[in-house]
Structure formats: structure tokens, C-alpha cells
Amino acid sequence: MTHLVFICGHAGTGKTTIAKRLVAPLMRETGGAFCLLDKDTLYGRYSAAAMGALTGDPNDRDSPLYLQHLRDPEYQGLIDTTRENLELGVGVIVVGPLSREVRERKLFDRHWLGVGPDVSIRIVWVYTSEETAHARIVARHNPNDAYKLSHWDEYRQRRFVPSGAAREGLIMFDNTAPTAAEFDALVRNVLKPVANS
């Protein structure tokens, strides 16, 4: 069994921090290798070059132009790279907002992902309050956040916390101020067998 773990959520929720903390415990518990694929690391420099050429703003990751023309190819490349690692028997932790894919349930779709029944799929939705996320975004001084911050009312419309049917099968993790016990529970939930996963 190879493990595929998606760490999803909006900006400022702490997805990358959680993902990095998960690598060692997951390797220890499974005895297998894991790689971490962060969308910003994989595509950040490419997106900067493309958006710089197209708009003169290399830090734009939220304008309609980016969302309509670059977002989906980046995510598809992320999934393709994930699949190649899984085929080699390497577990993968994928980091990215993936909010649309969560809403549309694509991360549960093995055909869309291109993975077989030998892959255990877990989707963690990392969340915190809008105020906490905003404060974290301001504090990290990442130039890629400039569009978000200057268009916050527009950006916040895209923020959602899955509920109802959209929440089914997700591991919800409140990353406002998690305790060690809460993080240990997250590790257990990620590794817990799920029927028909």
C-alpha cells in the first residue's frame, strides 16, 4: 500500500508547516519513503516568469488571468508528478489550496487522479479563522500575497470551509494552535484504513 496525502486549505492556514511535520511520522509508522510536493515550490518560479512576461507582475497568483490560464495546468502537473512517484512506490504528501478540487470531489476520484486501488488516499483540510489567516499572510511578507491582500474582499469570497456532503471523507484539522495530541491524532487519522478508499 502506497500513501497519497493531500494537504489542502486556503492561504495562511499553515498547510506547508503541517505537511513538513507529517513526513517523519509517516515514514516511521509506515516504514516507507515519502516525498513532499508543494505546488508553490514546484511552480513558483515558472509562474513568476510567466506572469511577469504577461502582466509585468511576477507575484500575481490570484488575478483572473492567472486563475483562467495557469492554475489548472499547474495542478495537473502536480498530479502527474504525484502519480509518477506513486508508481515508483514512493508515498506522496501534496500541498496546495486545491479548494476547487475539494468542492468538486476530484481528489476522491481515482480515475481523475490516475491511481489504482493499491494507493491509500487521504485528504486533510487545514483551516483557521479568516482573521488568523489574514494575520499570518501579512506577517509572512510573501510578495505572492500582494494581490490577495489588496483584493481581500474579492479573495475572501473564494474562502470556504467544507460542510455537508463536501466534508464527507475529509480529515478536518484546525491549525489555529494545535496541541501535540491533536497532531498525533492527525497522524493516526491519515494512516487509518478507510473502507472503499
Side-chain angles (χ1 to χ4, degrees):
M1 181 68 68
T2 310
H3 295 268
L4 169 55
V5 183
F6 288 100
I7 307 295
C8 311
H10 298 295
T13 56
K15 299 182 298 296
T16 300
T17 300
I18 290 297
K20 288 179 177 179
R21 283 186 67 189
L22 278 172
V23 173
L26 292 182
M27 288 197 301
R28 183 172 58 249
E29 294 297 324
T30 65
F34 276 80
C35 71
L36 187 149
L37 299 178
D38 188 316
K39 187 182 84 72
D40 289 342
T41 304
L42 284 173
Y43 293 104
R45 291 178 186 272
Y46 165 79
S47 297
M51 292 306 291
L54 291 169
T55 69
D57 181 2
N59 301 312
D60 175 4
R61 301 294 184 281
D62 291 282
S63 69
L65 187 145
Y66 172 84
L67 294 173
Q68 291 169 15
H69 298 286
L70 292 182
R71 180 200 184 275
D72 288 349
E74 286 185 4
Y75 277 117
Q76 194 56 60
L78 182 64
I79 297 301
D80 291 344
T81 307
T82 296
R83 187 182 316 107
E84 287 187 344
N85 278 277
L86 292 168
E87 289 170 354
L88 294 170
V90 177
V92 183
I93 301 174
V94 178
V95 182
L98 290 154
S99 54
R100 186 187 309 164
E101 289 73 16
V102 168
R103 276 198 305 269
E104 296 174 0
R105 308 287 293 174
K106 286 183 175 179
L107 302 186
F108 294 94
D109 184 343
R110 291 182 180 275
H111 178 74
W112 186 81
L113 293 170
V115 302
D118 58 328
V119 175
S120 167
I121 303 170
R122 298 293 181 275
I123 300 107
V124 179
W125 182 266
V126 182
Y127 66 97
T128 189
S129 70
E130 179 183 334
E131 294 75 21
T132 299
H134 186 273
R136 288 177 179 173
I137 292 170
V138 170
R140 69 189 183 187
H141 301 294
N142 185 330
N144 292 344
D145 294 324
Y147 188 95
K148 272 185 203 70
L149 292 172
S150 62
H151 298 80
W152 187 259
D153 285 340
E154 173 191 330
Y155 169 72
R156 69 191 298 271
Q157 301 302 315
R158 302 202 316 259
R159 287 179 51 90
F160 80 108
V161 175
S163 60
R167 193 168 180 152
E168 185 179 340
L170 297 177
I171 299 171
M172 303 296 292
F173 189 75
D174 183 348
N175 197 32
T176 303
T179 65
E182 288 168 335
F183 182 79
D184 291 344
L186 173 62
V187 174
R188 290 193 300 273
N189 284 331
V190 165
L191 293 173
K192 185 186 301 181
V194 175
N196 302 318
S197 68

